Amino acid sequence: MRRRRTTFALGGVAVAAALALSVRGGLGPSTSPATAPPTATPTVAGPSTHDCVDEPSRCGYPDETTTGVSDGVTLKKSGSVMADEDGQVVEGLDITGEISVSAADVTIRDVRVTGGRGAGASDWVVVVRPGAERLVIEDSVLRTPEGSEQDIACVLNIGDAEPTVRRVDISGCSAGISSGGGLVEDTYIHDLAMIPGLSHVVGVASNGGGGMTVRRSTILNEYAQTAAVAFYQDFSQQSDNLVQDNLLAGGGYIFYGGNGRFGPTSKIRFVDNRISRLYYPTGGSLGLTASFDVDLPGNEMSGNFWDDTGEPV
């Protein structure tokens, strides 16, 4: 648990079944929580500062000291949670199971979720279903049991929502976050897992459409495949993605740029990222970038630099 701020009290909990709880911000109808004090935007170190991967928070990047459940919050044991009411708030829980989100304007904060098949009967950690517009996940820990092989995403978006994920500590899945679009910021993704011959290991992935922003996050993928950040064309073209001011290491490639069978990309930008050689001398086991055409409209690859020297990649 990090030392950052004292935050919200535990809301009411209504037990729906042995492994399904519906959590709201108090008794009766769902209510919005009190507005938290604004958090200052972190400033990340520039190329003149070296070896930030040894202690990311020293350089303004997230690690276990700046992400996860807020200091002062006491967690209550829980089974799986169904977030199926608009405006529902899920907070203050230590969940073994999964959170399934199917309603709009849900907020998940100050929870620890240990999910996936290695944790019992659950299939996921957080699954974002159709109808989950404007989901916010913040100040939480999402993980699978240490050492278990998992071919799942810790945040799996199977709808069209564009969730916001901020100040979250994510580990133990084969993909940290899998979503068409959304915002990932100030988040720590590390110690991923895989099933040999099956998993495509990646920190943050978009499988089509785009509209994904990844900024000021630390993403460490010790495996020789697939990427730290990957844009795929599994379902549609990729466009309007921004990856900026992150600390990144590992995978087959640091960046998987979005070229594919649905046509050319546009407005894919990899800007001002710090690339670590923690695992491989070229950042990723195979290099920096794959499936990316910098000459397509709006595409950009600029300002990225090596963590150990500050030199441009």
Side-chain angles (χ1 to χ4, degrees):
M1 186 174 292
R2 71 190 189 281
R3 299 179 180 88
R4 191 174 57 82
R5 61 180 174 86
T6 301
T7 188
F8 309 92
L10 173 65
V13 181
V15 178
L19 289 176
L21 287 85
S22 181
V23 182
R24 297 167 181 86
L27 299 177
S30 300
T31 57
S32 298
T35 301
T39 301
T41 299
T43 300
V44 297
S48 61
T49 303
H50 302 162
D51 299 316
C52 292
V53 75
D54 295 337
E55 186 183 354
S57 58
R58 174 177 63 87
C59 303
Y61 300 98
D63 56 23
E64 68 278 0
T65 69
T66 62
T67 59
V69 177
S70 301
D71 188 38
V73 174
T74 300
L75 301 181
K76 182 176 180 178
K77 292 288 187 181
S78 172
S80 293
V81 172
M82 303 294 292
D84 54 5
E85 293 192 11
D86 291 351
Q88 189 169 334
V89 179
V90 181
E91 62 181 341
L93 297 179
D94 184 358
I95 297 166
T96 299
E98 66 186 28
I99 300 177
S100 176
V101 185
S102 57
D105 300 304
V106 169
T107 298
I108 298 169
R109 74 159 63 90
D110 286 318
V111 300
R112 180 168 59 231
V113 187
T114 305
R117 294 179 181 90
S122 61
D123 288 326
W124 314 108
V125 182
V126 175
V127 56
V128 184
R129 301 186 183 277
E133 287 79 13
R134 298 174 297 279
L135 169 65
V136 175
I137 306 170
E138 60 186 10
D139 302 311
S140 294
V141 174
L142 308 178
R143 65 187 186 183
T144 64
E146 185 175 358
S148 60
E149 293 182 341
Q150 299 282 346
D151 186 47
I152 61 172
C154 280
V155 178
L156 175 66
N157 184 3
I158 61 174
D160 294 327
E162 296 187 348
T164 294
V165 180
R166 63 168 67 100
R167 298 185 302 274
V168 178
D169 185 329
I170 294 176
S171 65
C173 299
S174 59
I177 299 167
S178 179
S179 177
L183 170 62
V184 180
E185 62 181 4
D186 307 316
T187 285
Y188 180 40
I189 301 174
H190 60 104
D191 292 303
L192 299 171
M194 70 172 295
I195 296 177
L198 178 62
S199 303
H200 289 188
V201 184
V202 62
V204 176
S206 168
N207 294 309
M212 174 71 78
T213 294
V214 184
R215 64 190 179 202
R216 297 188 310 273
S217 292
T218 300
I219 302 175
L220 307 178
N221 177 3
E222 64 187 275
Y223 292 96
Q225 56 91 351
T226 297
V229 178
F231 302 130
Y232 304 124
Q233 287 200 26
D234 292 340
F235 307 113
S236 60
Q237 284 177 278
Q238 284 285 352
S239 66
D240 199 23
N241 295 323
L242 173 64
V243 181
Q244 185 173 25
D245 288 330
N246 302 284
L247 170 58
L248 307 170
Y253 298 94
I254 297 293
F255 307 118
Y256 196 92
N259 288 351
R261 61 193 179 97
F262 286 101
T265 63
S266 62
K267 295 186 287 184
I268 309 293
R269 294 168 291 163
F270 302 106
V271 181
D272 300 331
N273 297 285
R274 178 183 295 269
I275 311 302
S276 169
R277 294 186 251 230
L278 176 65
Y279 305 121
Y280 306 105
T282 54
S285 65
L286 300 174
L288 182 69
T289 309
S291 298
F292 182 69
D293 187 345
V294 73
D295 295 323
L296 290 173
N299 286 2
E300 182 180 358
M301 176 77 67
S302 67
N304 303 296
F305 57 95
W306 293 115
D307 177 42
D308 55 345
T309 66
E311 296 180 352
V313 298

